[in-house]
Amino acid sequence: MERYADIVLPLFQPLYTFAVPDGAGLGEGDAVAVQFGAKAVYTGIVWRLHDRRPDVKRVKSVGRRLYDRPLLTPLQMRFWEWIADYYMCTLGEVMRMALPAMAKPRGGDEEEFMRDEFRPRTVGFVVAACTPDAETMARLERRAPKQYGLLRSLAERGELRRSECDAAALAALRRKGFVAVEEREADGPAVSDIDFVLPELTPAQTAAFESISEQFADRHTVLLRGVTGSGKTEIYMHLAARELVAGRDVLYLVPEIAMSSQLVSRVEEVFGERVFPYHSKLSDRRRTETYMRMGRSEGGSLVIGTRSALFLPFAHLGLVVVDEEHDSSYKQAEPAPRYHARDAAIMLSSLHRGHTLLGSATPSLESYAHASTGKFGLVSLTERYGGAQPPSIIVSDTLRAVKRGERHAHFNRVLLDKIGERLDCGEQVLLFQNRRGYSPYVSCTQCGWTARCPHCNVALTLHSGGRLVCHYCGHAEPMPRRCPSCRTAEVQPMGFGTEKVEQEIASLFPSARVVRLDRDAMPSESACNRIVGAFERGEYDIMVGTQIITKGFDFSRVTLVGVLNADNLLNAPDFRASERAFQTMMQFAGRGGRRDVRGEVVIQTSEPENPVLRWVVSGDYESMARSQLAERRTFFYPPYARLVVLTLRHGEAEVLRRAATELADLLRRRFSNRVFGPNTPPVDRVRNESIAEILLKIESGASMSRARELLRAALDSMMCRPEYRKLTVICNVDAS
Ligand code: ADP
Ligand code: ZN
Ligand code: ZN
């Protein structure tokens, strides 16, 4: 009987069927090389084996099997299927994102492909080759203390890792024949070597730990709501240790790795070589190695990483911790799959029959609502570790400051006074402004002309050095001196971004050392670590930054944090604006203060009466949640409805308008009044393509899979029409 394999390729394609030669010995989840098109060779994944010949003239055969074991476990295959189905994308798109670089599309012949196939990483161990006599040792001790030291530690410990030896001393000793280096495959420690030194929990932490353990008995997911600094990390580590000791894996998810270097070192201190960092900033090689090692491992590893770590081949995943579960970076926006890592984590750990712990000081309203209805367990931790006091928060009215002449540059007097006091005490200050660049836009004072991107419908941002930059497509041009429109007046920077704050604060406090942290200041993870490290060591007094500085950092010398313009947060054009503003400000407020010094927060705003600010001042999460949930219920937003946002793009505005109207009508026939739009998004042209949006609200409780089916059918009937050949439609399920 002939055998066939349905194969997933890392392309936007459905499954392809290939013939399987006799004796190929393939199994589901195996990686195979397949020829696709004239020359291209891809890694494909065997998804299904069967004996139904596809209805085509010639069926190509699969190439040889790659690796000595399947690339995907059966659980991973079910996870991929869930992602593809729920988030409405193809398995090929999941594959592109889920596997490290080795499995991405590549051209060239198979031989070239196989040459860089992964080989296990080896680690060099230094061992003694021959023991020098006492006289030689004495001479080394006098003349070459590093070589002497190396030999002494070798004598004590039997062997050393090459990485811990001084390279020059090692080279000299190898030349002299005293030591040798052995390469061994690095597969992590054996599961039995367990001697974690865990921080001792406080009574409040112990109670939370025990309550989580109890609730895990009959609930799959528990939400830990613990104020900033209450020691959630310590509780995670205790829970993780229990899983690791039992030989199960733990996944510790963080929103962004850039802010997590301090956390990673803390976790590594406790769990040592069992810790595997995994995120997109690692080299392809490191990612591939980690993937392969996890595939070979039988459990007992702790992966700490960003959302892509969900796709590693875990053996038995006992626990997933989703730290800062409310953070919006858990949702992948681009490209597909547009998955939410928190929701995917819950699915993944239930496939493994493990547990999920969501942690946050300010949980997402979705999670909070689930905890209130009992779908999730709930544990609260209300005191800070070491009895540190919650920060004192001052709301400073910007309009009043202007009226009274108490505003200098973009700072109200109160904030300036407090900065001065803190600097005098040798303490540090964080200043947050959620716009990068110098000014968000530039405008003519005479005729109102503003500089806009030629490819996108958006204003250009002024950066230091007089460059105007588009934050959507990267287009850059010099700032014009004179207004190109009326040719009479000068063009002025309007509003302010982090670069301007940096410049102003430096001139207001000339002796202060100021540093900026935003996407422009840290093109790479190492640049970020450098800035954070220098600030931590006290090489700077003030750090100015965007959203990034509100997260995760633990700076012990920071005692004052300032929000330069809360209005941006409060008025974001988004149904989550209030929730997000509250979360951001609470999280940022938690960055200041320590056990002996109470932290202070100054929030500048022109809306001091805004209820969100009242809740921030009193740290009243419950009132915020109650009020926002009531609003969401009235206007039918998550968690009371699921949102699917369809984004349509086309080069010609007219074709786009027609397509969007047609699709909305088509959808209305199936979903009636659950369809909203087509709408014009705030930025309706990017990279010379016009953009329209259609919003679908599906009431919770209704069948999402039925909704997705109807939606797919509607899209298919549109997309096959020749006039819409160049139309792009993106589905974003649970868009935020
Ligand atoms: P959270 O994650 O809840 O904001 P952390 O876990 O970062 O809080 O704890 C805040 C600070 O308190 C950290 O510096 C941490 O080392 C310290 N800390 C918390 N709990 C303990 C503990 N049980 N033993 C020692 N230090 C602790
Ligand atoms: Zn003008
Ligand atoms: Zn642009």
Side-chain angles (χ1 to χ4, degrees):
M1 196 172 44
E2 288 192 307
R3 295 291 283 162
Y4 299 94
D6 294 343
I7 303 241
V8 176
L9 296 172
L11 304 167
F12 178 78
Q13 301 282 4
L15 300 184
Y16 274 88
T17 306
F18 290 79
V20 179
D22 281 342
L26 288 184
E28 291 175 350
D30 278 345
V32 285
V34 295
Q35 180 100 26
F36 192 76
K39 287 211 92 172
V41 173
Y42 290 114
T43 301
I45 308 276
V46 177
W47 210 259
R48 259 191 304 272
L49 290 161
H50 56 83
D51 49 22
R52 295 179 306 278
R53 189 189 156 84
D55 192 16
V56 291
K57 253 198 233 123
R58 203 176 76 81
V59 187
K60 272 200 227 161
S61 291
V62 293
R64 71 180 195 82
R65 179 175 157 200
L66 308 172
Y67 317 117
D68 56 351
R69 68 190 68 225
L71 202 53
L72 294 189
T73 64
L75 277 187
Q76 280 181 292
M77 295 176 70
R78 285 168 62 195
F79 184 54
W80 283 27
E81 279 172 345
W82 178 80
I83 294 266
D85 179 55
Y86 188 86
Y87 292 105
M88 301 189 65
C89 65
T90 64
L91 285 169
E93 288 173 305
V94 180
M95 179 176 177
R96 280 174 95 106
M97 189 268 318
L99 293 178
M102 62 181 180
K104 292 229 170 103
R106 31 173 112 217
D109 54 22
E110 187 177 352
E111 197 189 344
E112 186 189 337
F113 170 78
M114 294 312 296
R115 214 172 11 226
D116 30 290
E117 184 191 342
F118 172 75
R119 276 172 210 86
R121 184 174 75 121
T122 59
V123 169
F125 285 90
V126 179
V127 293
C130 91
T131 315
D133 53 32
E135 195 185 320
T136 315
M137 282 302 271
R139 202 175 55 240
L140 283 176
E141 186 173 10
R142 282 195 313 274
R143 301 254 194 85
K146 282 198 177 142
Q147 294 177 33
Y148 175 79
L150 204 161
L151 287 172
R152 286 299 301 265
S153 5
L154 199 56
E156 268 163 38
R157 289 165 48 195
E159 61 182 28
L160 297 169
R161 287 196 161 221
R162 180 170 46 199
S163 53
E164 49 185 343
C165 298
D166 179 85
L170 178 60
L173 289 172
R174 280 177 88 177
R175 255 196 328 272
K176 294 175 193 163
F178 291 140
V179 303
V181 174
E182 285 175 8
E183 297 288 340
R184 286 182 222 152
E185 194 173 317
D187 248 351
V191 172
S192 55
D193 65 354
I194 290 154
D195 52 341
F196 308 137
V197 184
L198 289 160
E200 205 174 307
L201 296 183
T202 64
Q205 291 168 345
T206 307
F209 172 79
E210 282 169 0
S211 175
I212 294 168
S213 311
E214 262 163 45
Q215 300 196 35
F216 272 158
D218 56 6
R219 280 204 187 72
H220 171 260
T221 304
V222 171
L223 171 63
L224 170 62
R225 183 154 83 80
V227 297
T228 310
S230 55
K232 294 186 286 300
T233 316
E234 282 65 27
I235 295 175
Y236 302 155
M237 291 205 277
H238 277 258
L239 289 163
R242 207 168 53 185
E243 299 300 322
L244 297 177
V245 167
R248 289 186 289 263
D249 296 315
V250 174
L251 171 58
Y252 189 150
L253 284 179
V254 294
E256 282 169 69
I257 208 69
M259 278 78 62
S260 307
S261 53
Q262 293 173 320
L263 175 66
V264 174
S265 347
R266 242 164 101 193
V267 171
E268 279 179 338
E269 250 168 57
V270 174
F271 298 110
E273 305 213 324
R274 286 161 177 273
V275 178
F276 294 87
Y278 192 83
H279 50 84
S280 57
K281 296 268 165 61
L282 291 179
S283 69
D284 287 338
R285 188 165 182 88
R286 280 281 300 285
R287 279 160 59 87
T288 307
E289 277 165 14
T290 304
Y291 190 96
M292 293 315 219
R293 262 209 260 178
M294 289 299 295
R296 283 198 298 273
S297 141
E298 304 198 322
S301 309
L302 190 158
V303 174
I304 180 161
T306 50
R307 54 178 192 252
S308 60
L310 285 165
F311 296 91
L312 286 170
F314 295 100
H316 318 276
L317 191 53
L319 174 70
V320 184
V321 171
V322 185
D323 193 22
E324 308 292 0
E325 65 88 30
H326 64 276
D327 198 293
S328 59
S329 17
Y330 279 126
K331 175 78 160 114
Q332 169 145 323
E334 199 57 39
R338 296 176 177 80
Y339 65 107
H340 199 301
R342 176 189 60 228
D343 302 339
I346 291 171
M347 176 45 79
L348 180 68
S349 67
S350 70
L351 285 173
H352 280 269
R353 301 182 183 285
H355 289 110
T356 309
L357 180 66
L358 308 177
S360 175
T362 51
S364 64
L365 291 180
E366 282 87 343
S367 299
Y368 186 69
H370 286 323
S372 318
T373 59
K375 184 175 167 201
F376 294 171
L378 177 65
V379 175
S380 297
L381 201 53
T382 50
E383 61 184 56
R384 286 180 139 200
Y385 174 74
Q389 300 219 8
S392 79
I393 302 176
I394 297 171
V395 174
S396 171
D397 183 343
T398 297
L399 298 179
R400 208 160 84 177
V402 171
K403 259 188 232 141
R404 296 188 175 179
E406 291 176 352
R407 184 144 163 111
H408 307 271
H410 291 94
F411 298 87
N412 300 351
R413 186 78 260 159
V414 204
L415 180 54
L416 285 181
D417 288 347
K418 296 216 176 279
I419 294 174
E421 284 167 26
R422 294 310 178 171
L423 295 180
D424 288 344
C425 302
E427 292 163 1
Q428 291 177 314
V429 178
L430 295 178
L431 297 174
F432 164 58
Q433 167 65 351
N434 63 343
R435 296 270 186 280
R436 65 196 167 91
Y438 189 81
S439 298
Y441 64 106
V442 299
S443 177
C444 170
T445 46
Q446 200 68 39
C447 72
W449 173 90
T450 55
R452 304 189 74 80
C453 177
H455 313 293
C456 311
N457 190 11
V458 70
L460 294 172
T461 300
L462 178 64
H463 284 249
S464 319
R467 256 168 24 108
L468 291 169
V469 180
C470 173
H471 284 186
Y472 282 76
C473 73
H475 167 88
E477 57 184 66
M479 158 115 162
R481 281 268 185 83
R482 256 176 207 289
C483 170
S485 172
C486 66
R487 303 199 172 275
T488 51
E490 278 194 3
V491 175
Q492 289 291 332
M494 310 299 277
F496 64 109
T498 45
E499 290 177 18
K500 191 169 199 173
V501 176
E502 180 188 17
Q503 196 187 72
E504 288 179 355
I505 199 73
S507 72
L508 286 161
F509 296 95
S511 61
R513 296 158 302 167
V514 183
V515 68
R516 178 166 55 86
L517 191 62
D518 57 25
R519 216 183 322 154
D520 303 304
M522 38 152 252
S524 67
E525 192 200 348
S526 61
C528 174
N529 288 343
R530 237 182 354 261
I531 296 173
V532 170
F535 188 71
E536 228 179 348
R537 288 189 300 273
E539 290 167 25
Y540 295 101
D541 305 303
I542 301 177
M543 182 187 275
V544 177
T546 47
Q547 201 83 16
I548 190 165
I549 68 164
T550 65
K551 300 183 181 184
F553 295 121
D554 197 0
F555 295 125
S556 58
R557 268 179 282 200
V558 170
T559 50
L560 171 66
V561 305
V563 178
L564 289 171
N565 185 9
D567 306 3
N568 291 338
L569 294 172
L570 297 169
N571 301 314
D574 174 359
F575 72 92
R576 289 185 210 271
S578 297
E579 178 190 356
R580 292 251 163 90
F582 180 85
Q583 287 161 341
T584 299
M585 284 187 267
M586 288 307 289
Q587 202 170 10
F588 188 45
R591 301 277 77 85
R594 51 168 194 259
R595 238 162 288 168
D596 49 336
V597 186
R598 191 167 182 200
E600 277 189 304
V601 184
V602 176
I603 300 174
Q604 300 190 149
T605 177
S606 55
E607 295 175 49
E609 300 303 322
N610 191 303
V612 173
L613 293 175
R614 280 208 318 273
W615 296 321
V616 169
V617 170
S618 50
D620 190 355
Y621 175 84
E622 268 95 3
S623 294
M624 184 283 294
R626 223 175 304 122
S627 135
Q628 287 303 304
L629 283 173
E631 227 170 81
R632 300 272 181 94
R633 192 192 285 276
T634 308
F635 296 103
F636 207 42
Y637 273 106
Y640 304 102
R642 291 184 177 281
L643 303 188
V644 181
V645 173
L646 302 172
T647 306
L648 293 83
R649 293 200 314 249
H650 197 282
E652 289 167 54
E654 187 44 38
V655 181
L656 178 80
R657 201 188 52 78
R658 234 183 18 246
T661 315
E662 216 174 296
L663 181 58
D665 289 345
L666 190 60
L667 291 173
R668 270 196 190 92
R669 258 175 265 149
R670 297 178 192 189
F671 293 97
S672 66
N673 60 356
R674 297 176 187 84
V675 181
F676 300 80
N679 307 315
T680 308
V683 178
D684 65 355
R685 200 163 56 92
V686 170
R687 294 193 169 87
N688 295 318
E689 281 197 308
S690 297
I691 306 172
E693 279 178 2
I694 297 171
L695 173 63
L696 202 58
K697 285 185 185 172
I698 312 288
E699 56 272 37
S700 29
S703 161
M704 255 315 258
S705 55
R706 177 82 189 121
R708 285 193 305 266
E709 233 169 77
L710 290 173
L711 183 54
R712 261 187 219 111
L715 287 175
D716 288 347
S717 72
M718 279 273 299
M719 299 304 282
C720 63
R721 304 238 305 270
E723 68 264 42
Y724 295 142
R725 212 165 30 91
K726 290 190 174 156
L727 178 71
T728 310
V729 182
I730 287 168
C731 292
N732 192 345
V733 177
D734 292 341
S736 46

